[in-house]
Structures are given as structure tokens and as C-alpha cells.
């Protein structure tokens, strides 16, 4: 069997749409009629009017001072924000109140008359029937009614920003042209007035706050200045220069203290040396240590006296004076050091105290200065804000007023008709394609061949006979009909299916019952007898045995009697004059039919029939119902597999053919039977089959 791929065949798709062209055309016409009915009779005409507002991103101020509420920047975020401001419920509420839209039935549903039938009423009725709980019917309040009107107005108002500009287009759509223009113009005016009111309120609030703040800052400034004055009155006046002078003085005192300490140390060392020399009682040592001119002269006089023990009193008295003077110098140095240290300590404490006072004073002065600056800033802002209260400018201006439209903007009748036609074409095409994709049966021989891989050797139309007994009469009375010619084509295809070994035993089967295989078997037998051939028709479906519905048969023996050996083949067959052939009917058997056809006697029966007849046609049961057909197929020369047009599913045919392939039997050809000519035209296949059918008489 041929394997299907996932590619879409555009030619087949176009062909499918072309075959369903009448259905598509009908859907398009119906859609256009419905669209025209809506556009011309049902749709309410509405009128659209637009006003444009320009955003002033840069404004010239009347006074060169900073505004409390600055102008808009003009970036995309600001533009989007302003669009939402125009569509805000607060602004629309002002519009509703100014135009008194609560009393307008177009926007207030409570003022409209109740329609005789509405979807809402039907839904409410269904809910009341389904619901088991009783609901309190709340009376709508004035606020809820106003909110509903605002919602309705919001649906009819649109605001858009013109690309690459600071211009907003305010568009209103209503059922009245004057109302549409009034909507757009009023909303634009309210938007600009809203900007002015917002700035005025902001300025007024800022003035009030600044007044209170300035009063508070004035009190703080006065308190800070009083603190500086009180501190100056209670503390010694200090300055940074005075502290610098004190630091210089204390440095000088420290230098003097160092020099005095050095001098004291030197004097103390000399005093110690003198005392050591005195302890030695050596005149020379004492004179050398004292290094005094007077003492040296006394020592010289004593040496010049020539006495062995000169008088030392003068020398000792002078040396004692020198020691005493050295002691006085040491004492005086100590006193100076103490005085200097005390003075340094006093000045250091004075520096510490005055530094703390200076820091405190500077802090108080800075606080007073800061309070003064803040006070002056807020005082200036208060004066600027007071000046701005009467000179505010809006951030937008009306660029063009909305005009009263001369014609309705909707419904656009030509557009509705065009869209209706397109929708109708799409709907019709969808139905055709859906029907085609959902189709699970066979309508064309090419499709049957492509899906099965077998050749279609016959196309047999449906026989216009209500009763099966009239089938043969139809073929006899109308030998030139399409059905008769289709059987002739089938006969030719079967006989030519194997040129080297023309088939003599032909089996007719199908997937399921009621596919027309029995009718085709009899028609094929009738056609072969018309050629002067000896034909035997065997009823191989011994389970149903429906030959009696086609012929008047005596209650006689048949196939089972021959197989049992009770009758010969010549004695068991029945000659049907209307058919021109011999018929071997089936009999009811207690033994399983598959076992009967698997027996050697059945094979011998067929061999005997081959010798006595030119052609043997066996009508077998459906292959999916019972295994009889596969068993009988082992003894035949050709297998004709019948598929009912637009009835047998793909799966059934595929499984039936596979059942033969599983037992190494190959079907000689397929027959698409019971073709409905009108159905072919309805499905769009009339172009190919209609001409074939019209060529013959019915």
C-alpha cells in the first residue's frame, strides 16, 4: 500500500475548493445577504467627530521665577499619562454632569424601553429557573447609575496621540452628529480647565503651607539670634586672633622656661662642684673650681707672703661668698621656673576656656545664619508663589474644534458587505475543507488507488431498483445504461487482468456486508452469458444465503449436498433463465463454513466446475466478517474486491486487503460500487464522473 506523507498538496487543495464551489458561493451569498440586512435595516448609524489638543512642552513664563507646578516634559511617558488623564473617570464624570447625560437614553440604559426579546432577559430567566436561592432585587442607586453612564461614555470616547507630535486627538462617536461634536469639544475644554484648576489648587496649597512655615522659621531665627546675644553678654569676648596671641605667648614662656631650667641645672652643677672642692680643702682646687679673679688674687697674695702657713681667712671668706652666691642663683632659678610654670598653666587654662567659648559662639552664630538663610528662602518662595496665583497657564491648548459631521461614520455598508462576503467565502471554504478532511470514505477511484496501492478495475453506479428481484430485470431492460456499461468494463478488466492465464474462477468479496458485491456477481454473470459463455454462479455466503432475494428458487439442495456427495454438480445446479446461467445455491449447515471451504471436496468441486463451465463466479462473505473469503481465495483465479462508494471507511478497506495479504493472496482489482451520481455532483466530483454517466442511457 502507498505510504502517505505529511506534505500539503496545493493542487489537491485547490481542487477540493473548486469541487465545493457551489457550497462556497452559497455561503458567500448568504453572508452578503445577512450583512446587507444588518447594514441597511438593523445597524444604528453613528457619527464621529474629533477635536485636537496640542501639548505645550515649552512655555514662556510671565515672570522669571520658578513655578510651583512646572510644565510637562513632553517625553513618551508624559504623553501616555496625559492620554489616560483625558480618559479618566473623574474628567468624564464632569463631562456627564455638564451635558446631563444621565437623562440621555443613549447612555442611560434605564431610560430605554424594554425590548420584546433580549439575550439578557433570556439569560436572567434561565438563571432564575436554575437558581434555588432567592435573590434580593437591589434598587440601583444614583451613584451606580452615574457609574453606568460613565462606562457607556467611556466606550464612545477614544483618545490617541498623533505619531511624532505632541498633539492628542479626542474622538467621540454617538448616534447624534451635534452630540458627537459637543462631546469632543467639551472634553477638550474640561481637560484644559482641569490643568488650570490643578495648578491653582497646588499654588494655593503651597501658599498656605509656606505662610505657616515662614512664621515658624521667623520664630526660630529670633530665638537663634537671641541665643547669640545672650552668650556674648555672659561670656568674655574672644576671637580667633586673641587665641593666636595667647598661643604665641605660651610658646615664648615655654622657651624661657627651658632656658631657665638649663641655667638652673648649670648653676646647680657649679654649686655641687664648689661643695666638692670645699670638702677637699685644697686651695688650688678650690680656686680652680671657683674661677674667681678676686679669689685668685687672694691665693696669689698668700703664695707671695713667703709664710709656710699663710692666713686663709680671707681666702675662705671669699670662697664662702662664692658658694653663697651660687646657692642664691640656684634658688632664684627655681623660683623663676615655678613662676613660669604657673603662668603657662594659667594661660593654657585660659586658652581652653576661650576655645570652648569660641566654638560655642561660632555654633550659635552658624545656627542663627542657617535659620536666617532658610527664613529668607521660604520668604522669597512665599512672595513668588503669591505672585503666581493669578498668572497660571495651562500645559495644553485646543488646536482645532470638533465639527458636526455630515454623514455617519458607521455602519460602513460597503465594508460590511465586503467583509460579509469574505467571511462567507471563508466559512464555505472551511465547511468544504472540514468535510473533505473529515471524510473517511472513498469517493474517487484515484483516492482508492492511492490509499490501497491496488488498481480500480471498475466503477459501478447504484442500480435504481428498490427490490433485489428487479436488479436483473433492470440490466435486461436497459442494456445500454451506465450500470450495464460499467459491468462490461468490469468484465473486460477482469478477463484482461492476466493475459497469459485468463481467469476462469472469479471471486467477489468486500470488507463488510451491503457493499453490492452480490449484485455485481450476478451482473457479471449475466454479462458473461451474453457472450455465449457457460457460467456457473456459486452462492459462497452460506451463512446469509441471499440469492433467494434475487430469484424465485425452489426449496432444493445445493452446495452442501454436492460436497456431501448426495448430488452431482449437474443435478444440484439450478438454471435461471433470466440470468442465462446455472446457479449453485448455498445451504444451511451445522458444520462451520470455514471448515467446509477448507475441505478437499470443495477444491474437487471447483475442478469439476472448471471442466463443465467457461467461467465460475463465487459470491463470498465479507472478508472482515468471517474467514471464508480468504479460504475460498486460495482456489480462485481472480479476486474482485468491492468497495461501496462513500460508505466503507479507509480502515475497513485497509484491514480487508491486509487480511488477504496475510495469507499470500493478492486482490486482482478493486471495484468502486454503488456510486451515486447526484452525490458525486453534490461533493463536486461531477466534472469527472458526470460526463461518464451522462454518456449512457439510464
Amino acid at each position: 500500500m502507498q505510504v502517505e506523507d505529511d506534505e500539503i498538496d496545493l493542487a489537491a487543495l485547490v481542487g477540493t475548493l473548486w469541487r465545493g464551489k457551489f457550497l462556497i458561493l452559497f455561503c458567500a451569498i448568504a453572508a452578503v445577504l445577512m450583512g446587507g440586512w444588518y447594514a441597511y435595516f438593523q445597524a444604528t448609524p453613528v457619527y464621529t467627530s474629533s477635536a485636537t489638543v496640542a501639548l505645550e512642552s515649552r512655555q514662556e513664563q510671565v515672570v522669571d521665577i520658578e513655578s510651583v507646578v512646572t510644565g510637562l516634559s513632553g517625553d513618551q511617558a508624559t504623553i501616555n499619562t496625559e492620554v489616560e488623564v483625558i480618559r479618566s473617570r473623574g474628567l468624564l464624570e464632569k463631562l456627564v454632569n455638564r451635558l446631563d447625560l444621565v437623562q440621555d437614553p443613549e447612555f442611560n440604559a434605564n431610560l430605554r424601553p424594554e425590548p420584546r426579546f433580549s439575550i439578557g432577559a433570556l439569560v436572567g430567566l434561565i438563571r432564575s429557573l436554575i437558581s434555588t436561592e432567592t435573590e434580593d432585587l437591589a434598587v440601583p442607586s444614583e451613584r451606580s447609575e452615574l457609574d453606568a453612564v460613565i462606562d457607556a461614555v467611556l466606550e464612545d470616547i477614544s483618545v490617541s496621540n498623533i505619531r511624532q507630535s505632541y498633539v492628542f486627538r479626542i474622538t467621540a462617536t454617538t448616534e447624534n452628529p451635534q452630540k458627537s461634536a459637543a462631546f469632543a469639544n467639551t472634553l477638550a475644554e474640561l481637560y484644559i480647565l482641569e490643568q488650570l484648576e490643578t495648578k491653582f489648587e497646588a499654588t494655593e496649597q503651597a501658599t498656605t503651607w509656606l505662610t505657616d512655615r515662614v512664621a515658624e522659621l521667623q520664630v526660630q531665627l529670633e530665638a537663634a539670634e537671641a541665643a547669640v546675644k545672650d552668650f556674648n553678654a555672659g561670656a568674655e569676648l574672644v576671637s580667633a586672633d586673641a587665641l593666636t596671641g595667647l598661643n604665641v605667648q605660651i610658646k615664648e614662656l615655654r622657651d624661657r622656661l627651658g632656658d631657665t631650667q638649663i641655667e638652673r641645672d648649670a648653676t646647680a652643677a657649679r654649686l655641687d662642684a664648689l661643695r666638692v672642692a670645699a670638702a677637699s680643702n685644697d686651695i688650688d682646687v678650690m680656686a680652680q673650681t671657683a674661677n674667681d679673679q678676686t679669689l685668685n688674687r687672694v691665693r696669689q697674695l698668700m703664695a707671695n707672703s713667703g709664710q709656710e702657713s699663710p692666713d686663709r681667712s680671707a681666702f675662705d671668706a671669699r670662697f664662702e661668698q662664692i658658694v653663697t652666691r651660687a646657692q642664691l642663683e640656684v634658688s632664684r632659678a627655681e623660683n623663676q621656673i615655678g613662676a613660669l610654670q604657673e603662668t603657662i598653666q594659667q594661660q593654657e587654662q585660659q586658652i581652653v576656656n576661650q576655645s570652648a567659648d569660641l566654638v560655642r559662639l561660632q555654633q550659635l552664630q552658624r545656627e542663627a545664619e542657617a535659620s536666617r538663610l532658610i527664613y529668607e528662602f521660604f520668604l522669597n518662595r512665599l512672595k513668588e508663589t503669591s505672585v503666581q496665583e493669578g498668572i497660571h497657564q495651562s500645559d495644553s491648548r485646543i488646536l482645532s474644534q470638533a465639527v458636526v459631521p455630515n454623514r455617519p461614520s458607521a455602519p460602513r455598508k460597503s465594508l460590511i458587505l465586503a467583509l460579509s462576503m469574505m467571511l462567507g467565502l471563508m466559512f464555505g471554504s472551511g465547511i468544504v475543507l472540514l468535510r473533505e478532511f473529515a471524510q473517511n470514505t472513498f469517493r474517487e477511484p484515484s483516492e482508492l488507488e492511492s490509499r490501497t496501492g491496488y488498481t480500480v478495475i471498475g466503477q459501478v453506479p447504484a442500480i435504481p431498483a428498490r427490490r433485489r428481484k428487479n436488479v436483473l430485470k433492470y440490466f435486461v431492460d436497459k442494456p445500454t445504461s451506465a450500470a450495464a456499461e460499467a459491468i462490461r468494463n468490469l468484465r473486460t478488466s477482469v478477463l484482461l487482468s492476466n493475459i497469459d492465464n485468463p481467469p476462469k474462477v472469479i471471486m467477489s468479496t468486500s470488507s463488510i456486508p451491503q457493499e453490492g458485491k452480490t449484485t455485481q456477481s450476478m451482473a457479471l454473470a449475466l454479462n458473461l452469458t451474453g457472450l455465449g459463455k457457460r457460467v456457473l454462479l456459486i452462492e459462497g455466503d452460506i451463512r446469509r444465503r441471499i440469492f433467494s432475494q434475487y430469484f424465485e428458487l425452489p426449496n432444493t439442495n445445493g452446495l452442501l449436498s454436492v460436497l456431501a456427495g448426495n448430488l452431482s454438480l449437474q443435478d444440484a445446479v439450478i438454471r435461471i433463465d433470466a440470468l442465462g446461467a446455472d446457479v449453485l445455491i448455498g445451504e444451511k449447515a451445522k458444520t462451520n463454513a470455514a471448515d467446509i471451504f477448507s475441505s478437499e471436496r470443495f477444491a474437487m468441486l471447483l475442478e469439476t466446475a472448471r471442466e463443465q463451465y467457461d467461467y465460475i463466479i463465487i459470491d463470498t462473505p465479507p472478508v472482515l466478517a468471517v474467514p471464508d473469503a480468504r479460504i475460498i481465495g486460495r482456489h480462485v483465479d481472480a479476486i474482485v474486491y468491492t468497495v461501496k462508494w462513500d460508505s466503507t471507511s479507509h480502515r475497513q478497506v485497509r484491514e480487508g486487503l491486509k487480511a488477504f495479504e496475510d495469507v499470500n493472496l493478492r486482490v486482482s482489482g478493486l471495484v468502486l460500487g454503488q456510486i451515486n451520481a447526484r452525490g458525486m455532483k453534490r461533493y463536486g466530483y461531477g466534472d469527472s464522473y458526470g460526463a461518464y454517466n451522462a454518456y449512457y442511457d439510464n
Side-chain angles (χ1 to χ4, degrees), residues 63 101 116 124 175 191 206 259 356 525 594 623 660 662 686:
V63 289
L101 298 180
R116 296 181 180 179
E175 298 176 2
Y191 168 60
D259 295 340
V623 66
F660 282 110
D662 291 341

Coordinates of all heavy atoms in Angstrom, one line a residue, residues 63 101 116 124 175 191 206 259 356 525 594 623 660 662 686:
V63 N 6.6 85.8 34.6 CA 7.6 86.3 35.5 C 8.7 85.3 35.5 O 8.5 84.1 35.4 CB 7.1 86.6 36.9 CG1 6.2 87.8 36.9 CG2 6.3 85.4 37.4
L101 N -25.9 63.9 30.7 CA -26.0 62.6 30.0 C -26.8 61.5 30.8 O -27.2 60.5 30.2 CB -24.6 62.1 29.6 CG -23.8 63.0 28.7 CD1 -22.5 62.3 28.4 CD2 -24.6 63.3 27.4
R116 N -38.8 43.5 23.3 CA -39.7 42.3 23.5 C -38.9 41.1 23.8 O -39.3 40.2 24.5 CB -40.5 42.1 22.2 CG -41.5 43.3 21.9 CD -42.3 43.0 20.7 NE -43.3 44.1 20.4 CZ -44.1 44.1 19.4 NH1 -44.1 43.1 18.5 NH2 -44.9 45.2 19.2
G124 N -31.3 36.0 32.2 CA -31.9 36.2 33.6 C -33.0 35.2 33.9 O -33.1 34.7 35.0
E175 N -24.8 58.6 18.4 CA -25.9 58.5 17.4 C -26.4 59.8 16.9 O -27.2 59.9 16.0 CB -27.1 57.7 18.1 CG -26.7 56.3 18.5 CD -27.9 55.6 19.2 OE1 -29.0 56.2 19.3 OE2 -27.7 54.5 19.6
Y191 N -10.5 69.3 29.9 CA -9.1 68.8 30.1 C -8.2 70.1 30.4 O -7.4 70.0 31.3 CB -8.6 68.1 28.9 CG -7.1 67.8 28.9 CD1 -6.5 67.1 29.9 CD2 -6.4 68.3 27.8 CE1 -5.1 66.8 29.8 CE2 -5.0 68.1 27.8 CZ -4.4 67.4 28.8 OH -3.0 67.1 28.8
A206 N 0.3 75.5 48.3 CA 1.7 75.9 48.6 C 1.8 77.2 49.4 O 2.6 77.3 50.3 CB 2.5 75.9 47.3
D259 N 65.0 77.7 78.9 CA 66.3 78.3 79.1 C 66.6 78.4 80.6 O 67.8 78.2 81.1 CB 66.3 79.7 78.5 CG 66.2 79.7 77.0 OD1 66.5 78.6 76.4 OD2 65.8 80.7 76.4
A356 N 36.6 76.9 74.0 CA 35.3 76.3 74.2 C 34.2 77.4 73.9 O 33.2 77.2 73.3 CB 35.1 75.7 75.5
A525 N -22.2 -12.2 -14.1 CA -22.6 -13.5 -14.7 C -23.5 -13.3 -15.9 O -23.4 -13.9 -16.9 CB -23.3 -14.3 -13.6
A594 N -16.1 -22.2 7.4 CA -14.7 -22.2 7.1 C -14.1 -23.6 6.9 O -13.3 -23.9 6.0 CB -13.9 -21.4 8.1
V623 N -14.9 -10.1 3.9 CA -13.6 -10.7 4.5 C -13.4 -10.3 5.9 O -12.8 -11.0 6.7 CB -12.5 -10.2 3.6 CG1 -12.3 -8.6 3.7 CG2 -11.2 -10.8 4.0
F660 N -6.1 -10.5 3.1 CA -5.7 -11.3 2.0 C -4.2 -11.4 1.9 O -3.6 -12.4 1.6 CB -6.3 -10.8 0.7 CG -7.7 -11.1 0.5 CD1 -8.7 -10.1 0.6 CD2 -8.1 -12.4 0.2 CE1 -10.0 -10.4 0.4 CE2 -9.5 -12.7 0.1 CZ -10.4 -11.7 0.1
D662 N -2.1 -11.2 4.3 CA -1.5 -12.1 5.4 C -1.5 -13.5 5.0 O -0.7 -14.3 5.5 CB -2.3 -11.9 6.6 CG -2.1 -10.5 7.2 OD1 -1.1 -9.8 6.9 OD2 -3.0 -10.1 8.0
G686 N -18.6 15.9 -10.0 CA -19.5 15.8 -11.2 C -18.7 16.0 -12.5 O -19.1 15.5 -13.6

